[in-house]
Amino acid sequence: MSDLSRSPNVFHPTRPSAVGSRNSLAQDGRDQKQEYDQLVQEETERILDTIQTKLPAEVLERLDVMGGLKEKLYNYFNQNYQNMFNRYITTTEDEMVKKIRNFIDKEENKTLARYTPKEIAAMLDEIAGADKFNTGEVEKSIVNMYGHLHGHIQRGVNDLENETNSLLRQKTDVGAFIRGENAYSVVKAAFKDSATKPKTVTDTKLSVNILDSELISPIFQYQATVEYLIKDQISRTISNLIDQEVERFQDELIDQGKEELTDSEIIFEKMKRVTNYTDDDVEDETSKRYTFLAKELMQKIEGLRAEIDPSEFDPVNIRENLKKIIDMENIRNRGFNTAVNSITSILDTSKMGYQYVENLKNARELIIREYEDTDVENLPDERYQIRLKYYDSEQLEKEREVYDQQMEAFRQEIQKLYDVIEAVYQTGRSRFKVNDYEDIVAKMSRTMKKRRDLFRFEESGDKLVEEMQRTWNEITLLKANPTDVERLNQTYRHEKKLFKEMLNKSARKLEQIYGYQNPQERVILDDRVRFLRKEFDDFDYLINPYHIQSGVVLDVDITSIKRKKFTLNGMANVLNEFLHGISKGFQDAAFAAFKRRRSTVRDDIGMNFSNDYDEPVAQSLPGQGAQASAPAPTETVSRTPAQPRGQADVSPGKGSISSDDLQEL
């Protein structure tokens, strides 16, 4: 170790750990060049052996296998390996030199190869203060480097996972497109052949709905009033205080040797405590609802929105200053800006470039397209379009009204076309020629009437078949009358199937009427059928607003080549990273309220400095292991050493389960 260079500025190609060196101390004397030559040589020989085995003899005679081909293969491997290795070395050295060059040199000389635990770092910080033992900048640099490294590794693993799943399935489906932990958020996923290139290109649509309760950073409309924002913050504070009270109540029950609360009991305990923090008395200034913000201040900001008329703006007024405080906290824009930054940064790092961005901030809508042009004829077969929009309940109500109106418009136009084609068919039908079942019925109607008169069916009181009301249209089955719940959540599945069958039947009837002839009437009717079919397919391709709840809707349209699927696989990783970044995900209430059992808690896990002697777990209350069986909220509770069971911040976070818990289950 004495002959090693101790300065990070030394540059040498072979000296270990020098800048630009091909060797490092971790290689322990290995010859990197010999290993590399052996790797390239073996790969070249392996491919040459495969070529000689697979190709027929007459083809091998024309190939210069032992001469030029081997040289080309060797150069190909050599060049690609060198390019990858040089890029890796350059990037690594640049980051290390810029970030922690001096720190690494000092730590290598000390032969220090372990990371200081967080507990020791926190202890040193508490002893000496922020000005001493301060390694914050170095730790930030290390965290950033490892974060970028893990991000690249994760993207590579995701690519490998998607490719493996695709190979195993031998087809493209939603399972290969979006992973299981985010499948619950899918509203609509559709794979269909492209209209212009059905044999080689696939059009994919994926719509994801992230609810308000699942967002890590809440999103508000730009027009939301300051009063609403403040009340929302107060409501969140009240919920947190109630959770803390219930958690303390749980601890008291356990310390007394009683059973924990069940899930239902926890809900009722929370409800009982709501009146401790608020009530419905709006007029009384001493009401509990004005504990956090006085009634006078609440009245000042009533109806105040994101913008104030310049003619009324006064920086000294109370309402202007209250609005300024809210604006400085950036509560109104924080959530949507976080979502926009997340999706754009993921697209950049995933090499999914885009040429068109339209960020409608006030409308809470983001449109990203890979290419600016929207004409399908001028676009490549690998492309995507993303639409990110936040919907509240009022917007969804308006969208549902428009959706109903559009569905009714399609019903009228398709029914009109169906009636016109039926009228053309009835007009051109010959009275003396039998073409279908209706002609046979018309021909046999007289015979059927004579037979009924002979047997006098009408005396029995039964109606004639012709007089009965017809309820079945022979296109689709009858639809059951919707309930109130179904009216509020219209699916229109029956209507969509009916309209498509009516268009198909209209096209078949035109072929039956005209055969191989193409008069002007048929051309016009065929064009109308194709137009309505295309428009209705596009309408059916959209998201039904009855299936969306208040929150963020991510609508992705992808066009990808079937044998390539580059954009499809790349967008799968983008969506999964995006959902992981802005959504807390679905949480089962049983697991969200799960808590580590007191009987499995050890005193030596959470250690602290104290002069008092902590009682061991064996001296705790008797029978506690059998009574602590019900799940409870998972708020982390800090306990002093003098309290029973000696806990100190050892409870897991929400939704986390330890190995001890799994063993108990």
Side-chain angles (χ1 to χ4, degrees):
M1 298 293 293
S2 60
D3 59 342
L4 294 178
S5 301
R6 298 185 179 277
S7 173
N9 295 321
V10 172
F11 179 88
H12 197 276
T14 59
R15 187 174 299 173
S17 295
V19 178
S21 176
R22 297 188 298 269
N23 301 317
S24 68
L25 292 175
Q27 291 185 349
D28 195 16
R30 290 163 48 191
D31 191 348
Q32 182 180 2
K33 186 175 185 305
Q34 181 181 359
E35 294 177 357
Y36 155 69
D37 291 338
Q38 182 181 358
L39 172 65
V40 176
Q41 187 69 27
E42 287 181 356
E43 291 296 329
T44 305
E45 295 293 343
R46 186 176 302 170
I47 292 184
L48 283 177
D49 181 66
T50 303
I51 292 175
Q52 293 175 359
T53 305
K54 300 294 183 181
L55 294 180
E58 56 272 13
V59 178
L60 289 173
E61 292 177 357
R62 300 183 181 180
L63 289 176
D64 187 10
V65 179
M66 303 305 296
L69 184 59
K70 180 176 181 180
E71 190 70 17
K72 290 178 181 178
L73 287 174
Y74 188 92
N75 292 336
Y76 175 80
F77 279 109
N78 187 15
Q79 182 178 359
N80 282 275
Y81 184 86
Q82 288 289 354
N83 289 338
M84 291 189 296
F85 188 76
N86 289 337
R87 283 197 296 268
Y88 172 76
I89 288 297
T90 301
T91 305
T92 305
E93 288 182 351
D94 288 345
E95 291 296 327
M96 297 295 288
V97 168
K98 288 186 294 185
K99 298 290 185 180
I100 55 171
R101 183 178 60 182
N102 296 330
F103 177 77
I104 292 295
D105 182 68
K106 181 174 62 176
E107 296 304 307
E108 281 185 348
N109 290 333
K110 293 180 179 179
T111 64
L112 180 62
R114 62 179 182 178
Y115 180 73
T116 304
K118 293 182 179 179
E119 293 81 3
I120 298 179
M123 180 186 67
L124 294 176
D125 183 69
E126 292 176 358
I127 294 175
D131 54 340
K132 297 181 181 180
F133 303 108
N134 187 6
T135 59
E137 296 301 325
V138 177
E139 291 179 357
K140 289 179 182 178
S141 300
I142 296 176
V143 169
N144 290 335
M145 292 172 60
Y146 276 96
H148 287 297
L149 175 62
H150 289 168
H152 289 297
I153 294 175
Q154 185 64 42
R155 272 185 286 274
V157 172
N158 292 342
D159 289 335
L160 179 61
E161 181 181 349
N162 290 332
E163 292 291 343
T164 304
N165 291 336
S166 179
L167 290 175
L168 294 176
R169 289 185 176 93
Q170 291 298 320
K171 62 180 180 179
T172 301
D173 55 8
V174 181
F177 189 66
I178 187 167
R179 284 186 284 278
E181 62 266 20
N182 297 319
Y184 74 95
S185 61
V186 176
V187 177
K188 184 171 184 177
F191 290 78
K192 70 175 184 178
D193 296 335
S194 175
T196 56
K197 300 177 181 178
K199 293 184 178 180
T200 58
V201 180
T202 300
D203 288 338
T204 305
K205 182 181 188 65
L206 184 73
S207 301
V208 177
N209 187 200
I210 307 172
L211 307 185
D212 283 331
S213 58
E214 299 170 357
L215 291 171
I216 296 176
S217 181
I219 297 179
F220 302 97
Q221 292 289 2
Y222 180 73
Q223 295 80 9
T225 61
V226 177
E227 180 184 7
Y228 174 78
L229 297 177
I230 293 178
K231 288 183 177 180
D232 182 78
Q233 296 299 316
I234 294 175
S235 176
R236 295 174 188 274
T237 303
I238 292 174
S239 298
N240 294 333
L241 293 175
I242 292 175
D243 290 340
Q244 294 175 9
E245 275 198 16
V246 174
E247 180 67 21
R248 287 194 295 268
F249 181 64
Q250 283 271 51
D251 294 339
E252 293 175 0
L253 291 178
I254 297 174
D255 293 339
Q256 295 172 8
K258 299 179 181 179
E259 293 186 359
E260 296 182 0
L261 298 176
T262 63
D263 295 341
S264 300
E265 291 173 344
I266 291 175
I267 294 176
F268 291 120
E269 287 294 334
K270 290 182 179 180
M271 290 181 178
K272 289 192 300 184
R273 286 168 169 76
V274 172
T275 55
N276 296 338
Y277 298 95
T278 184
D279 56 33
D280 298 332
D281 190 358
V282 182
E283 303 298 332
D284 188 6
E285 294 183 357
T286 61
S287 174
K288 293 181 180 179
R289 67 184 290 121
Y290 299 117
T291 302
F292 299 92
L293 190 66
K295 178 182 178 182
E296 179 185 1
L297 298 180
M298 194 69 73
Q299 291 176 346
K300 294 290 184 181
I301 59 176
E302 185 175 356
L304 180 59
R305 295 189 176 271
E307 298 176 356
I308 302 178
D309 191 351
S311 60
E312 302 177 358
F313 184 81
D314 187 355
V316 187
N317 282 347
I318 296 178
R319 66 168 188 167
E320 276 79 352
N321 283 275
L322 292 175
K323 179 181 179 299
K324 185 176 181 181
I325 294 174
I326 296 298
D327 292 342
M328 290 177 64
E329 293 295 330
N330 205 16
I331 299 174
R332 187 190 308 275
N333 302 316
R334 183 191 307 158
F336 185 72
N337 291 346
T338 301
V340 173
N341 291 340
S342 177
I343 189 68
T344 52
S345 61
I346 293 172
L347 288 172
D348 290 335
T349 54
S350 300
K351 300 180 182 179
M352 303 291 291
Y354 48 91
Q355 296 180 350
Y356 181 86
V357 177
E358 190 172 6
N359 187 7
L360 310 176
K361 295 183 178 180
N362 292 359
R364 294 296 186 254
E365 183 175 4
L366 174 69
I367 299 174
I368 298 178
R369 290 200 297 267
E370 187 174 6
Y371 301 100
E372 189 274 336
D373 194 0
T374 56
D375 188 5
V376 179
E377 301 295 334
N378 301 330
L379 291 174
D381 296 335
E382 291 281 346
R383 62 183 184 273
Y384 70 87
Q385 175 177 329
I386 298 176
R387 179 175 175 266
L388 178 70
K389 185 172 177 61
Y390 176 76
Y391 288 96
D392 56 15
S393 57
E394 185 177 359
Q395 285 177 303
L396 290 178
E397 189 66 27
K398 298 295 183 182
E399 291 286 340
R400 291 164 184 169
E401 293 178 2
V402 175
Y403 197 83
D404 294 337
Q405 296 173 4
Q406 186 65 52
M407 182 63 70
E408 178 63 21
F410 274 114
R411 187 196 67 79
Q412 295 176 0
E413 293 300 323
I414 294 175
Q415 184 67 48
K416 181 179 179 181
L417 175 63
Y418 187 83
D419 294 341
V420 169
I421 295 177
E422 184 66 24
V424 172
Y425 174 74
Q426 296 294 338
T427 302
R429 188 174 60 179
S430 175
R431 297 181 180 179
F432 307 100
K433 188 177 180 181
V434 177
N435 295 321
D436 53 17
Y437 173 73
E438 295 180 358
D439 292 338
I440 298 177
V441 173
K443 185 177 180 179
M444 297 298 176
S445 59
R446 293 184 179 181
T447 305
M448 294 167 61
K449 186 175 183 303
K450 290 179 181 180
R451 186 173 180 83
R452 284 196 301 269
D453 293 340
L454 179 63
F455 290 97
R456 301 182 182 275
F457 286 149
E458 65 274 9
E459 292 181 0
S460 64
D462 296 336
K463 292 185 178 180
L464 300 179
V465 177
E466 290 81 358
E467 297 176 357
M468 294 181 182
Q469 183 180 0
R470 192 172 183 179
T471 57
W472 181 37
N473 56 16
E474 298 187 8
I475 299 178
T476 60
L477 299 177
L478 295 177
K479 178 185 178 182
N481 293 328
T483 61
D484 293 338
V485 175
E486 291 174 335
R487 291 190 189 96
L488 297 175
N489 300 276
Q490 287 284 0
T491 60
Y492 288 114
R493 297 182 62 183
H494 181 270
E495 288 79 2
K496 291 178 180 179
K497 181 180 179 181
L498 174 62
F499 296 161
K500 290 181 180 180
E501 290 296 330
M502 291 177 67
L503 290 173
N504 295 335
K505 190 173 182 179
S506 300
R508 292 193 298 268
K509 186 155 287 189
L510 286 176
E511 295 178 358
Q512 184 180 355
I513 295 173
Y514 296 104
Y516 294 101
Q517 299 178 0
N518 288 293
Q520 184 66 20
E521 292 181 356
R522 179 177 185 177
V523 174
I524 295 174
L525 292 175
D526 280 337
D527 289 342
R528 186 63 178 174
V529 171
R530 283 193 297 268
F531 171 75
L532 288 179
R533 180 178 290 169
K534 179 182 180 302
E535 293 296 322
F536 189 73
D537 287 342
D538 293 341
F539 175 73
D540 187 26
Y541 204 55
L542 299 176
I543 311 174
N544 187 346
Y546 282 99
H547 302 162
I548 303 175
Q549 301 178 18
S550 299
V552 175
V553 175
L554 183 67
D555 194 9
V556 184
D557 293 309
I558 302 172
T559 299
S560 186
I561 301 173
K562 294 182 179 180
R563 296 180 63 89
K564 188 176 182 181
K565 296 184 292 187
F566 173 79
T567 306
L568 196 65
N569 295 332
M571 192 56 63
N573 295 330
V574 172
L575 287 177
N576 283 285
E577 284 193 49
F578 176 72
L579 293 176
H580 180 73
I582 73 167
S583 172
K584 294 180 290 188
F586 171 74
Q587 291 182 347
D588 192 340
F591 288 98
F594 198 84
K595 182 181 180 182
R596 184 169 185 157
R597 298 289 187 265
R598 292 297 186 92
S599 59
T600 63
V601 175
R602 294 165 45 195
D603 286 341
D604 57 348
I605 295 179
M607 295 182 295
N608 54 4
F609 294 99
S610 175
N611 294 326
D612 299 332
Y613 176 75
D614 295 341
E615 294 182 0
V617 181
Q619 299 177 3
S620 300
L621 292 175
Q624 60 184 356
Q627 294 175 346
S629 59
T634 56
E635 295 288 342
T636 302
V637 181
S638 299
R639 310 181 65 87
T640 60
Q643 289 179 320
R645 307 175 195 275
Q647 288 194 72
D649 293 328
V650 297
S651 298
K654 289 188 176 181
S656 62
I657 303 178
S658 66
S659 59
D660 296 331
D661 299 329
L662 294 178
Q663 292 177 2
E664 284 195 8
L665 290 176

